[in-house]
Amino acid sequence: MNFRRWVTSVCLAAAFVSPLASAKFTPEQVKAVYIYRIASFVFWGADEQMNEISICAPDDEEVRDILTDITKDKLIRNKPLHISNSGCDVLYITKKESLDLIKLNPNRTISISDIQSFTELGGVVELSTLGGRIKPRVNLENVGEYTLSANFLRVAEIVGGKQ
């Protein structure tokens, strides 16, 4: 593992377990950072053909605005990030009424939410809060045409699928 990946892994792990990380920021800011960081740990089957990575947050304007700010001029594997409401590579939803968006988006879209039991409702990554800390839960049965980095899976609670 090269030094950059090691530093990234350590920073990601610290963000997932540090109670101080969320003490200085709003819940929406913390979620936006999680969404951005999780996107960097997703490897799409058609990664080479992708011109950009589109992150959607159609039902949470505040998180969408924060994502727009924190992803400005940022790249993931040399691909610019685009905050949108369509063509989603990463889909973040906050309302149960939006669960249909998982089915409407292609199998290449990773879905993320803070909805309780999201992983049982068809979602891939649930940002669950335990003891004031956000910890990602991943349902491997719901993963589509992409893979999730082992570095991310090490800090997540794995449910469903082969473990």
Side-chain angles (χ1 to χ4, degrees), residues 148-159:
L148 299 171
S149 165
N151 290 331
F152 172 65
L153 294 175
R154 278 189 204 107
V155 298
E157 175 188 349
I158 307 297
V159 296

Side-chain angles (χ1 to χ4, degrees), residues 9 37 50 62 98 118 128 131 139 145:
S9 298
R37 295 301 302 142
M50 294 171 67
E62 188 172 357
S98 299
F118 181 67
S128 59
N139 189 331
E145 297 172 7

Side-chain angles (χ1 to χ4, degrees), residues 63-163:
V63 168
R64 187 173 53 249
D65 291 344
I66 296 166
L67 279 166
T68 300
D69 288 342
I70 65 174
T71 62
K72 184 174 174 48
D73 300 324
K74 298 281 192 309
L75 303 173
I76 293 177
R77 290 182 301 285
N78 294 319
K79 292 168 186 47
L81 301 172
H82 177 70
I83 308 305
S84 172
N85 283 332
S86 62
C88 309
D89 300 305
V90 178
L91 172 67
Y92 175 70
I93 58 174
T94 60
K95 299 176 184 162
K96 284 192 175 184
E97 300 83 45
S98 299
L99 286 172
D100 287 343
L101 293 174
I102 296 171
K103 295 176 185 122
L104 295 175
N105 283 280
N107 203 24
R108 64 173 179 75
T109 301
I110 181 169
S111 56
I112 304 170
S113 182
D114 59 353
I115 297 171
Q116 188 172 5
S117 302
F118 181 67
T119 55
E120 287 80 29
L121 297 169
V124 178
V125 179
E126 178 182 333
L127 301 178
S128 59
T129 303
L130 303 169
R133 298 178 184 165
I134 294 177
K135 178 157 176 96
R137 295 183 59 184
V138 176
N139 189 331
L140 296 177
E141 290 176 2
N142 298 335
V143 171
E145 297 172 7
Y146 50 85
T147 57
L148 299 171
S149 165
N151 290 331
F152 172 65
L153 294 175
R154 278 189 204 107
V155 298
E157 175 188 349
I158 307 297
V159 296
K162 296 179 183 177
Q163 298 181 32

